[in-house]
């Protein structure tokens, strides 16, 4: 049996899970060359919420970060997390934008693209996977793992086979909420390994204290790689620490060689960084959270959800709202709870408790009901879909959502030109996703003081037209954002 391969997530998921994605490139510089010497299968350095965070909070060009890290760590493949047709945002983008984004990311240094869809609708990953292969890079198809009556081992196995058919080079079981338990991890890995030829990775979070043991069982069952991090950007809501995982495997045939001395030096470095980021870290994220096992919702979502309810003056309604989450999820076709669907389900559960069931339907909920995010894993409640059609005066669709979108790249280049911003594909794809943030980034520094990471983000400008929306704080990637949610 070959030793298991460790992938390292400290420069992406590690700080996204434990420090609100606020680690700066500066704070990564000393660590990157050391990480490059440790024989990791991949360094996850980009994607997820890092691109948003670079522009919104850190005043950094995300592509420059990638090029810098690639230069400092040239030996180990760099990996990014890509939300399929959503790229790194919360809605669908046209194919030409997805293709341009992948081409830019590949040129700037991404070697492995881990591609997933929040609904597990694989029509939403096809374009991205094709673009990755066209760029000559490694496409990893990621299954969004969750538990529900429709998320059977057979359904996950079908997805794995479909990823292989799409031309993926490997498969990831992406357990974003840390729900997978050891026997399930073992059985799922065995089944997938028996049915596909490509390597299999397990990605989990130690939110409920299960990840290390589930990794161990998955490794015994033959998984090829697991994702680990480095303390203190490890454990808790993050990935298990690499040295801890190594210790757990010592003496077994699958234990990889691992440089413990260098790991300890890196822990020293990251401890300092963790202290520098103190205002973005939380004891709640470091602890094991069993609520996740009771309510089957991601731990990061639960802790932020408490704040959200408080702001709405609904703290006393906690039990009711939490109980409403599985109800909403079932009516919405048992969608997995991962960005952006976790926010959608949570907000709708809150609205249902506050105003009565379906008295107010948030716009994103209606979009799920109308098929605009894609096909849900289970059937959508037909009465609720009819209600959404009636209130929005729109018909539900069953096609791939991006089929309804016109190409945007030529228009985006025109807009950049009109705004006096540098016209290139990198700016065009960033502008498609984060127009205000990109404009602010390119403003002359004298006119716009560099965003201070210590302060909360400025509220987005009021929409030009008055809307009937309600003001809510919504959770995006574990952080609270002010947002006006249009209710119907
Ligand atoms: Co993760």
């Amino acid at each position: 049996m070959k030793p298991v391969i460790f992938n390292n997530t400290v420069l992406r998921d590690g700080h996204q899970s434990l420090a609100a994605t606020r680690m700066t490139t500066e704070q990564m510089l000393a660590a990157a060359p050391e990480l490059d010497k440790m024989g990791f299968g991949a360094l996850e350095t980009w994607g997820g919420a890092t691109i948003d965070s670079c522009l919104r909070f850190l005043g950094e060009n995300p592509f420059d970060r990638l090029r810098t890290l690639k230069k400092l760590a040239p030996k180990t493949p760099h990996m990014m997390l890509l939300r399929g047709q959503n790229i790194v945002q919360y809605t669908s983008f046209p194919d030409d934008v997805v293709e341009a984004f992948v081409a830019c990311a590949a040129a700037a240094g991404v070697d492995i693209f881990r591609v997933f869809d929040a609904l597990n609708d694989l029509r939403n990953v096809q374009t991205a996977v094709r673009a990755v292969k066209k760029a000559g890079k490694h496409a990893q198809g990621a299954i969004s793992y969750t538990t529900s009556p429709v998320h059977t081992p057979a359904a996950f196995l079908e997805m794995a086979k479909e990823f292989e058919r799409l031309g993926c080079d490997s498969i990831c079981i992406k357990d974003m909420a840390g729900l997978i338990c050891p026997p399930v991890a073992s059985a799922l890995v065995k089944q997938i390994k028996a049915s596909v030829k490509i390597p299999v990775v397990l990605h989990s979070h130690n939110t409920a204290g299960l990840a290390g043991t589930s990794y161990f069982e998955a490794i015994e069952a033959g998984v090829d790689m697991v994702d680990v991090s480095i303390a203190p950007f490890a454990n808790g809501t993050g990935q298990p620490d690499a040295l801890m995982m190594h210790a757990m495997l010592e003496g077994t045939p699958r234990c990889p060689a691992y440089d413990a001395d260098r790991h300890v030096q890196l822990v020293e470095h990251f401890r300092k960084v963790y202290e520098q980021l103190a205002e973005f870290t939380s004891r709640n994220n470091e602890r094991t959270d069993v609520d996740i096992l009771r309510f089957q919702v991601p731990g990061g979502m639960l802790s932020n959800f408490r704040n959200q309810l408080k702001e709405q003056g609904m703290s006393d309604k906690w039990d009711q709202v939490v109980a409403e989450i599985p109800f909403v999820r079932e009516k919405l076709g048992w969608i997995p709870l991962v960005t952006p669907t976790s926010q959608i389900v949570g907000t709708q559960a809150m609205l249902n408790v506050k105003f009565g069931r379906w008295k107010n339907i948030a716009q994103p909920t209606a979009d799920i009901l109308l098929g605009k995010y894609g096909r849900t894993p289970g059937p959508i409640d037909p009465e609720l879909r009819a209600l959404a059609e009636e209130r929005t005066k729109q018909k539900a669709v069953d096609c791939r959502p991006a089929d309804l979108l016109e190409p945007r790249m030529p228009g985006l280049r025109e807009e950049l030109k009109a705004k006096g911003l540098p016209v290139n594909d990198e700016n065009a794809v960033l502008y498609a996703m984060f127009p205000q943030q990109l404009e602010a980034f390119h403003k002359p520094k004298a006119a716009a003081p560099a965003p201070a990471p210590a302060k909360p983000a400025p509220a987005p400008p009021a929409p030009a037209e008055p809307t009937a929306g309600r003001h809510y704080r919504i959770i995006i990637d574990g952080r609270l954002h002010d947002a006006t949610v249009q209710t119907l």
Side-chain angles (χ1 to χ4, degrees):
M1 276 244 237
K2 275 194 287 186
V4 69
I5 294 168
F6 286 167
N7 295 326
N8 191 293
T9 62
V10 67
L11 300 183
R12 204 285 297 176
D13 209 349
H15 68 106
Q16 182 170 329
S17 296
L18 285 148
T21 333
R22 294 308 211 287
M23 202 188 291
T24 64
T25 304
E26 180 83 30
Q27 289 167 324
M28 299 175 181
L29 295 178
E34 299 305 307
L35 288 166
D36 200 30
K37 292 173 192 155
M38 297 183 72
F40 291 115
L43 298 176
E44 193 190 40
T45 49
W46 216 57
T50 60
I51 293 165
D52 189 346
S53 177
C54 274
L55 288 170
R56 196 184 297 268
F57 303 116
L58 307 177
E60 290 189 28
N61 178 336
F63 284 100
D64 286 347
R65 168 181 289 186
L66 176 56
R67 278 185 280 268
T68 302
L69 294 175
K70 181 77 177 175
K71 208 180 259 175
L72 291 171
K75 277 197 315 201
T76 316
H78 286 243
M79 179 163 75
M80 81 161 288
L81 182 64
L82 181 63
R83 296 179 200 135
Q85 211 72 32
N86 298 347
I87 313 182
V88 289
Q89 255 288 15
Y90 309 107
T91 53
S92 290
F93 289 89
D95 287 335
D96 67 335
V97 180
V98 176
E99 285 157 3
F101 177 88
V102 169
C104 289
V110 174
D111 303 288
I112 302 170
F113 291 77
R114 176 176 287 172
V115 192
F116 79 99
D117 176 62
L119 300 187
N120 280 333
D121 180 348
L122 295 196
R123 297 174 307 172
N124 290 335
V125 304
Q126 285 166 8
T127 300
V129 168
R130 216 177 296 136
V132 172
K133 296 315 296 170
K134 194 178 164 206
K137 302 295 181 183
H138 181 120
Q140 183 174 95
I143 297 166
S144 301
Y145 178 83
T146 187
T147 52
S148 87
V150 297
H151 288 93
T152 57
F156 289 133
L157 197 59
E158 243 349 278
M159 278 189 78
K161 288 183 193 163
E162 184 59 25
F163 274 130
E164 192 175 45
R165 277 195 288 271
L166 286 174
C168 286
D169 302 282
S170 58
I171 285 164
C172 175
I173 303 165
K174 177 179 153 60
D175 175 28
M176 56 277 172
L179 287 173
I180 205 164
C181 51
V184 174
S186 172
L188 197 55
V189 165
K190 270 185 201 151
Q191 284 173 321
I192 295 178
K193 286 295 291 175
S195 317
V196 301
K197 292 189 191 72
I198 50 182
V200 179
V201 191
L202 178 60
H203 172 94
S204 187
H205 291 251
N206 206 40
T207 318
L210 297 172
T213 318
S214 293
Y215 278 7
F216 185 86
E217 286 293 323
I219 292 165
E220 293 274 288
V223 81
D224 299 277
M225 289 173 236
V226 292
D227 285 1
V228 290
S229 188
I230 294 180
F233 295 95
N235 307 322
T237 50
Q239 278 70 56
D241 176 73
L243 193 56
M244 183 277 288
M245 207 57 232
H246 181 258
M248 203 189 275
L249 293 167
E250 216 144 30
T252 69
R254 301 214 60 204
C255 185
Y258 194 68
D259 188 340
D261 292 339
R262 194 163 264 131
H263 181 100
V264 171
Q265 285 166 21
L266 280 164
V267 170
E268 286 293 306
H269 169 79
F270 283 120
R271 262 195 200 134
K272 285 186 208 126
V273 176
Y274 197 80
E275 272 165 35
Q276 289 162 4
L277 296 176
E279 68 183 295
F280 306 109
T281 64
S282 150
R283 292 283 299 277
N284 284 334
N285 291 338
E286 296 162 9
R287 290 191 189 116
T288 299
D289 186 349
V290 289
D291 278 352
I292 193 171
L293 301 176
R294 283 179 61 210
F295 306 121
Q296 306 277 291
V297 298
M301 175 181 168
L302 275 178
S303 58
N304 286 304
F305 208 45
R306 284 195 185 93
N307 293 334
Q308 199 175 349
L309 288 185
K310 210 156 119 194
E311 305 228 333
Q312 295 298 316
M314 293 174 68
S315 294
D316 57 325
K317 301 277 197 314
W318 169 254
D319 289 347
Q320 269 169 276
V321 174
V322 169
E324 187 71 6
I325 288 174
F327 174 80
V328 171
R329 207 179 148 216
E330 178 176 4
K331 298 287 179 189
L332 265 53
W334 288 115
I335 51 180
L337 296 177
V338 61
T339 305
T341 46
S342 45
Q343 292 78 23
I344 297 172
V345 171
T347 303
Q348 190 59 49
M350 193 173 74
L351 291 172
N352 278 7
V353 170
K354 193 165 182 176
F355 302 104
R357 276 180 178 165
W358 318 118
K359 290 279 187 292
N360 277 301
I361 298 178
Q363 182 67 54
T365 309
D367 288 342
I368 296 266
L369 294 168
L370 296 174
K372 289 191 185 170
Y373 282 86
R375 195 179 290 138
T376 54
I380 280 181
D381 183 273
E383 276 176 37
L384 198 54
R385 173 170 272 178
L387 189 64
E389 286 182 325
E390 187 194 306
R391 290 205 194 155
T392 58
K393 309 214 168 20
Q394 287 178 35
K395 288 302 274 177
V397 294
D398 194 34
C399 63
R400 187 183 72 111
D403 286 339
L404 301 169
L405 305 173
E406 296 294 330
R408 272 189 73 194
M409 286 302 285
L412 286 165
R413 289 190 200 100
E414 287 300 314
E415 274 184 70
L416 288 176
K417 208 167 138 193
K419 300 258 181 200
L421 300 174
V423 181
N424 55 52
D425 279 8
E426 286 186 3
N427 275 333
V429 294
L430 291 177
Y431 190 80
M433 293 185 279
F434 310 105
Q436 292 156 6
Q437 289 76 16
L438 190 77
E439 253 191 278
F441 176 79
H442 281 291
K443 264 188 200 154
K445 295 287 180 263
K455 282 197 194 134
E465 292 161 63
T467 64
R470 288 169 178 278
H471 197 73
Y472 288 105
R473 300 197 75 190
I474 58 164
I475 311 151
I476 294 173
D477 285 316
R479 302 182 259 117
L480 281 171
H481 284 268
D482 289 300
T484 302
V485 176
Q486 185 85 41
T487 54
L488 302 164

